Structures are given as structure tokens and as C-alpha cells.
Amino acid sequence: MRIIFMGTPDFSVGTFEALIAAGHDIVLAVTQPDKPKGRGGKMQYSPVKEKALQHGIPVFQPKKVREAKCIEKLRAYEADIMVVIAFGQILPKEILEMTRYGCVNVHASLLPKYRGAAPIQWAVINGESVSGVTTMQMDEGLDTGDMIMKAEVALDDKETGGSLFDKLSEAGASLCVKTLEALEEGTAVFEKQGETTTEYARMLHKDMGSIDWKNDAQTIERLIRGLNPWPSAYTKWDGKVMKLWEADVVLQNSKGEPGTVVSVEKDSFCVQTGDGLLKVRSLQIPGKKRMEADAFLRGYKIEEGCELG
């Protein structure tokens, strides 16, 4: 197929590569404009742009893809289909209906669960045992189009937002190739979405990583994993921000108040929560790299009765 590929972040790259490997002709890569990064403000390409340039594929970076001149530019490529993965802009009807096969999206959840911007992280935070990817025919709604194919992915007990991201990126790449094969062969089956009873997968922001120690230990532990690597879960210690990267749940309670360090061992320390203890295994403080708790305890003093929060 002649494909216009629309995507921006790392999650899109696996599918981009898989389509090329499958013999499809990506005639144009559409991605978000370059953005400044770091203290020097150096302009940085999106992962999709970098990959497209490596393959010698033309790149288009519209600020507003719905503008008439942008729509006409896309039309000129006479593509058979558009594949859209985390592009970052809402597509108008003119683009959705421009090609023979329309726009196919790869969404990182088992729709209709977790429509929205951050389905991967919310699956971990909410304690799902199974997630997956769905290919769908895009419409003007937000992740509401007809479903075409699904692939399930089991979550490990210590799954993080980052590890699930990698699993779903790989699964989505394979599923997209299979979906395009079915569309070409005329065997694709389209299924209407029902209404989801699951919380909308709203966008992540840094403030949501602030740990409320009144929550139970299991809820906090899932938050830590779900927000790893970004934006990270954190608390305050000795006036500093302490990021927590790994922890275990201990199903017992102490007499301490939530947020109180109730025991310090050689390789960890336990914090009382609203229900249960949280055993901290890995953390980070300002100016330091991520470290295991035993390394932290060798260099810094944290005592029973110390309050976090």
C-alpha cells in the first residue's frame, strides 16, 4: 500500500519500521514540528522524523494539519491509506475520508477501555492484569471509531509504565501489519464500540505523582510503577523531593501515622500508609542518579519516626 504515516513519539516508531519491513511504501511521514529541548534550547526532531530521514522518506511537519493548504498537500500524495499513531493533532473529516481505506489508528488499550491520552500508564495505575492494543477505523470522535483487530498483553506483577510501553509498541506494530493485510484482502471485520465503563485515560501531569500517604500501600505502589519513567511518583524528605522508583507492599500496619518511616533495614525502609506498609527499594534525590535503597542508606541518614510527605 501507499501509506501516509502520521505519528510523533517513540511509540510510533516500531509500527513505522514494521510497515517498511512488510514491503509497504510510506510516501510521507507527518509529525509534529521540531521543539527546543534542554538548557541550550536546541531544536530536536521527533523520533518519527529521525526514522523517516534515515529511510529517505519525505517529512511534513504542519502546525495545524486541518488548514486547507495542509489538506491539499496530503491529497497530492494519492495514498491508499493513512496510519495514525500518537500523532498529536485532531484530524478533520476531510483527512479522515481522503484515502481509499481511510485512517487506521493503533491505540494502546483494549478499546473501548482507556480511551484518551495515557492508556498505558493508567492500566498499570489501576491494577489491570491484561492490556493490549486495538486497531480501529478513525472517525471524528476521540478513540471512538470502529474496531478492526485486537491483541492482548498480560501485565507482570512489577510492570511499569515504561515496560508496558515497550510491550504494546511491539504488539501494535505486528497488529497494524496484520490489519493492513486484512484490509487489502477484504477480510477485515469492523466492530462498533460500546460505551466504556472505565475511567477516561486522561493526560499525565507532574502533580499527579505527589504521593498521598493516606492512600493504601497497593494504590501507592501501583502509582509508582505506572508513573515510571515519567512523570514519576515522589514525596518530600528533609525538604527535598524524593522520587520513588521501586517499592513492595507489606500487608501489615504499625502504630505510626501515614507517611511515617516505621522501620529501617540494611537494604530498604518501610513507610506507613493508610493501610499497609510500603517498603522502598529504589529512589532518587536531587543531584543524584537513581539508586538502590541500600546505597541511599549508606550515604544518608533516615530514621524511624521520620515523616515523609
Side-chain angles (χ1 to χ4, degrees):
M1 284 190 180
R2 286 176 59 84
I3 298 172
I4 291 177
F5 187 91
M6 308 181 80
T8 298
D10 286 324
F11 189 78
S12 311
V13 171
T15 301
F16 186 89
E17 292 273 42
L19 293 172
I20 294 173
H24 292 287
D25 181 15
I26 298 182
V27 296
L28 181 69
V30 186
T31 189
Q32 292 281 65
D34 301 341
K35 293 183 178 180
K37 186 177 181 180
R39 293 180 180 178
K42 183 178 179 181
M43 299 301 287
Q44 184 177 44
Y45 295 170
S46 75
V48 166
K49 179 177 179 178
E50 289 184 348
K51 192 60 62 176
L53 294 176
Q54 288 174 19
H55 287 281
I57 295 170
V59 175
F60 180 40
Q61 296 177 272
K63 290 184 178 180
K64 294 182 179 179
V65 74
R66 61 174 51 249
E67 291 182 347
K69 63 180 180 180
C70 295
I71 293 172
E72 289 311 306
K73 181 178 177 69
L74 296 179
R75 197 184 307 277
Y77 280 86
E78 299 181 341
D80 298 314
I81 192 170
M82 295 187 189
V83 174
V84 185
I85 309 177
F87 170 51
Q89 295 185 40
I90 295 174
L91 304 183
K93 186 176 181 179
E94 292 92 332
I95 292 177
L96 294 173
E97 299 178 352
M98 182 181 294
T99 63
R100 176 182 177 187
Y101 294 103
C103 294
V104 169
N105 174 250
V106 180
H107 185 73
S109 80
L110 298 174
L111 291 171
K113 274 192 172 184
Y114 297 107
R115 294 171 179 160
I120 298 173
Q121 294 85 352
W122 283 107
V124 177
I125 293 169
N126 289 342
E128 298 286 353
S129 60
V130 176
S131 183
V133 288
T134 306
T135 52
M136 68 174 176
Q137 187 80 57
M138 294 178 68
D139 62 15
E140 292 183 88
L142 183 60
D143 303 328
T144 57
D146 291 353
M147 300 177 293
I148 308 172
M149 289 185 176
K150 291 184 180 182
E152 291 189 352
V153 173
L155 275 69
D156 294 335
D157 291 341
K158 286 297 183 179
E159 200 77 64
T160 66
S163 62
L164 185 57
F165 178 102
D166 293 339
K167 288 181 179 180
L168 296 184
S169 178
E170 182 177 352
S174 176
L175 191 68
C176 187
V177 171
K178 292 178 182 177
T179 298
L180 265 58
E181 287 177 358
L183 288 170
E184 279 191 292
E185 294 168 359
T187 59
V189 177
F190 297 84
E191 179 185 356
K192 295 287 185 184
Q193 289 193 46
E195 286 304 312
T196 177
T197 58
T198 306
E199 182 182 4
Y200 176 75
R202 64 188 185 277
M203 189 175 295
L204 302 179
H205 55 84
K206 291 184 178 180
D207 290 346
M208 68 179 290
S210 179
I211 294 172
D212 183 351
W213 292 104
K214 292 180 182 178
N215 288 329
D216 64 83
Q218 289 182 326
T219 296
I220 296 172
E221 192 269 342
R222 293 200 305 264
L223 181 73
I224 291 169
R225 288 190 286 112
L227 300 186
N228 178 354
W230 192 90
S232 75
Y234 61 89
T235 187
K236 291 289 185 68
W237 166 74
D238 194 28
K240 305 179 182 69
V241 172
M242 175 186 282
K243 294 182 179 181
L244 302 187
W245 291 117
E246 186 180 352
D248 295 329
V249 174
V250 180
L251 296 177
Q252 65 184 58
N253 288 292
S254 71
K255 294 181 180 179
E257 293 295 315
T260 302
V261 176
V262 298
S263 67
V264 180
E265 302 173 12
K266 183 179 180 180
D267 62 349
S268 63
F269 57 92
C270 287
V271 185
Q272 178 65 52
T273 72
D275 185 15
L277 303 179
L278 191 78
K279 179 173 285 193
V280 177
R281 296 286 192 183
S282 178
L283 56 89
Q284 185 176 6
I285 56 176
K288 300 294 181 179
K289 294 181 178 180
R290 172 176 172 168
M291 67 182 84
E292 300 303 306
D294 58 350
F296 170 76
L297 292 169
R298 287 196 299 270
Y300 300 90
K301 191 174 183 181
I302 189 167
E303 300 177 333
E304 293 182 19
C306 170
E307 293 186 0
L308 306 179

